[in-house]
Amino acid sequence: MSYLTATLEPDELDALMDSMKPYDDAIRDLEHITKTTRGAADAFEESLRVKNSLDTYEVLAKTMPTQQLLTAILNCEYKLWRTHEETPLRFKPYLSHWVETLMSTQKELAHHQHIAITTSDTNDTITTREILVTRAGYIMALLKDTPLPSAEPVRSAYEKSARDKFILPEFDLLPYMQMLVETEIWDRLPDGMVQAPETGALSKSKTQEGSDPQRWEDVMLRKLKEDPNAAVQELSHLPLDLSTLDFLTKLLTDRTFEELGIDGPPVILQYIQHALRLIEKMGAPPPTSEQNLPVGGASNGAAIVEYGKEPQSRAVKLLLLFMKNSITKGLLEPTPLIFELQEICVRYVWIREVRDFRTWVGKIDVFI
């Protein structure tokens, strides 16, 4: 199974579904099971499994809301936050997930005002709306860097929402959206979102009310159809992040390149080369104000938002996962990547996952 779609196993899920168990205990049990069954797995890859599972639980909760599902959802959110607890908020890998979840929750809550509330068909009387509100309130606390006490039972989050009559407090999403734009996760703020000059609160113009922000993936697909040469150049200089790699993988698996008459693997090779240059620069000291560099530490069209060994190591691991997945699924041939594989395996040999990757590459008869 691809690392982009892998999920938690049933016994791992069981560890997250006891509403009377504190967050810390649930995560400790999860990590013990994971270590027992998967060994010393990569932390970032494990967080992807948690995120994929979270997406599944979210869908289930809309039609079969239960306290167990809510508990699993909150524990997953806490796990994502704790995995990157030391990372500044604007650089947390799942900031966009939390912001987009709150945006979609606002729409769903408005929708639930006009329809019958979905309840569980078990003796668990929780409703879909209660799950939405409880989860949103928990995410708000995470964004404010004040998560609910991790030594308390997970059910305390639901009880807190109940005391507030399942009404969400006012929450200004704009600063977090701006972080996503500044770090180039988003190209721009959603259409119609403006900063009110007096309060700084997020507002929406009447002409834009109800309209959805255009996804950058849809914009890129349109560009590929209308101006493939320009789009390919843009594709090969996208940031090194999960959403980009997911999109590139989808272009390959859906044969989008082929349908549009574009030779896909060379485009991916250009992107990998670009990503390697970004990773290389991440290991250097941050530029000083005296240096004549583009604003934001930009390099070849993409911003470098973090410097140092730790973020560089995370970036290498992410690129390795993408390359290994693409080769394993037959989306890319390893031979044209020989120089890039060699660069990674030599330059970043100090990273354990790189050494493991080198061993794996050796098994597919690629000399590096």
Side-chain angles (χ1 to χ4, degrees):
M1 180 179 291
S2 164
Y3 75 94
L4 291 173
T5 57
T7 57
L8 298 177
E9 298 297 331
D11 54 344
E12 293 174 306
L13 172 59
D14 287 343
L16 302 179
M17 299 188 80
D18 183 352
S19 64
M20 299 310 296
K21 186 188 296 183
Y23 296 94
D24 283 340
D25 290 354
I27 300 307
R28 183 171 57 250
D29 291 347
L30 169 66
E31 291 173 348
H32 173 73
I33 295 171
T34 300
K35 184 176 181 180
T36 301
T37 57
R38 292 170 56 85
D42 175 72
F44 189 82
E45 186 173 356
E46 289 306 304
S47 72
L48 292 182
R49 291 204 306 132
V50 171
K51 174 60 170 61
N52 292 335
S53 299
L54 177 57
D55 293 341
T56 300
Y57 308 153
E58 177 183 354
V59 173
L60 288 174
K62 293 177 181 178
T63 55
M64 298 184 296
T66 65
Q67 283 285 355
Q68 284 186 317
L69 273 177
L70 172 61
T71 302
I73 287 171
L74 296 184
N75 273 321
C76 284
E77 298 287 15
Y78 176 64
K79 171 63 174 174
L80 295 180
W81 181 83
R82 201 176 82 165
T83 299
H84 305 281
E85 185 174 2
E86 302 303 321
T87 304
L89 179 59
R90 66 174 50 241
F91 302 136
K92 288 187 188 295
Y94 296 101
L95 175 60
S96 61
H97 153 69
W98 291 319
V99 170
E100 289 162 8
T101 296
L102 290 180
M103 292 173 66
S104 64
T105 297
Q106 290 176 345
K107 293 181 180 180
E108 291 191 59
L109 289 176
H111 178 61
H112 277 288
Q113 290 178 353
H114 306 290
I115 63 174
I117 301 299
T118 304
T119 57
S120 173
D121 56 6
T122 69
N123 59 1
D124 200 343
T125 58
I126 192 171
T127 66
T128 301
R129 186 179 190 281
E130 290 170 352
I131 288 182
L132 288 172
V133 171
T134 303
R135 182 190 185 191
Y138 187 76
I139 290 175
M140 290 176 181
L142 292 180
L143 291 179
K144 291 188 290 187
D145 207 23
T146 56
L148 299 180
S150 58
E152 290 186 2
V154 179
R155 185 178 172 84
S156 62
Y158 175 78
E159 294 171 346
K160 180 180 183 301
S161 293
R163 290 193 298 271
D164 295 334
K165 299 181 179 180
F166 296 103
I167 298 175
L168 280 176
E170 292 293 327
F171 189 82
D172 185 7
L173 262 179
L174 183 58
Y176 307 99
M177 291 180 172
Q178 289 175 326
M179 289 181 189
L180 294 173
V181 174
E182 290 165 2
T183 55
E184 297 193 352
I185 302 300
W186 286 5
D187 290 334
R188 54 185 172 80
L189 292 175
D191 292 340
M193 296 298 183
V194 296
Q195 186 169 0
E198 296 180 358
T199 64
L202 192 65
S203 61
K204 184 180 289 188
S205 65
K206 291 184 178 180
T207 58
Q208 296 290 341
E209 190 168 356
S211 64
D212 293 327
Q214 196 169 22
R215 297 171 66 246
W216 71 267
E217 295 96 331
D218 296 332
V219 174
M220 185 59 67
L221 283 173
R222 189 180 70 247
K223 289 181 179 179
L224 280 170
K225 296 175 182 178
E226 297 174 354
D227 190 355
N229 291 332
V232 163
Q233 181 67 14
E234 190 171 343
L235 269 180
S236 62
H237 289 80
L238 287 173
L240 175 55
D241 57 31
L242 182 59
S243 61
T244 295
L245 299 181
D246 196 8
F247 180 61
L248 293 176
T249 300
K250 184 174 176 60
L251 290 178
L252 290 171
T253 55
D254 292 351
R255 299 185 177 276
T256 304
F257 285 126
E258 185 177 327
E259 292 174 0
L260 297 175
I262 300 171
D263 192 0
V267 178
I268 305 301
L269 175 58
Q270 290 180 47
Y271 173 78
I272 291 173
Q273 293 169 341
H274 160 71
L276 286 173
R277 300 290 74 77
L278 289 178
I279 291 172
E280 180 182 359
K281 291 181 181 296
M282 290 172 69
T288 63
S289 57
E290 289 79 14
Q291 291 177 293
N292 186 22
L293 292 177
V295 176
S299 173
N300 296 329
I304 300 174
V305 295
E306 284 189 280
Y307 289 87
K309 289 294 185 183
E310 183 178 347
Q312 185 184 50
S313 176
R314 289 200 304 269
V316 169
K317 294 175 187 178
L318 185 58
L319 185 60
L320 283 184
L321 285 171
F322 170 70
M323 295 174 71
K324 183 176 180 180
N325 177 66
S326 299
I327 293 172
T328 301
K329 295 175 67 175
L331 302 176
L332 293 176
E333 290 293 331
T335 302
L337 301 174
I338 183 66
F339 295 111
E340 289 69 31
L341 294 171
Q342 185 177 46
E343 177 178 351
I344 292 175
C345 292
V346 173
R347 186 187 293 271
Y348 304 108
V349 69
W350 50 273
I351 302 174
R352 178 178 61 83
E353 287 78 5
V354 171
R355 298 193 295 273
D356 294 341
F357 181 74
R358 181 187 177 104
T359 301
W360 176 81
V361 170
K363 294 178 181 178
I364 58 175
D365 298 324
V366 177
F367 176 74
I368 59 172

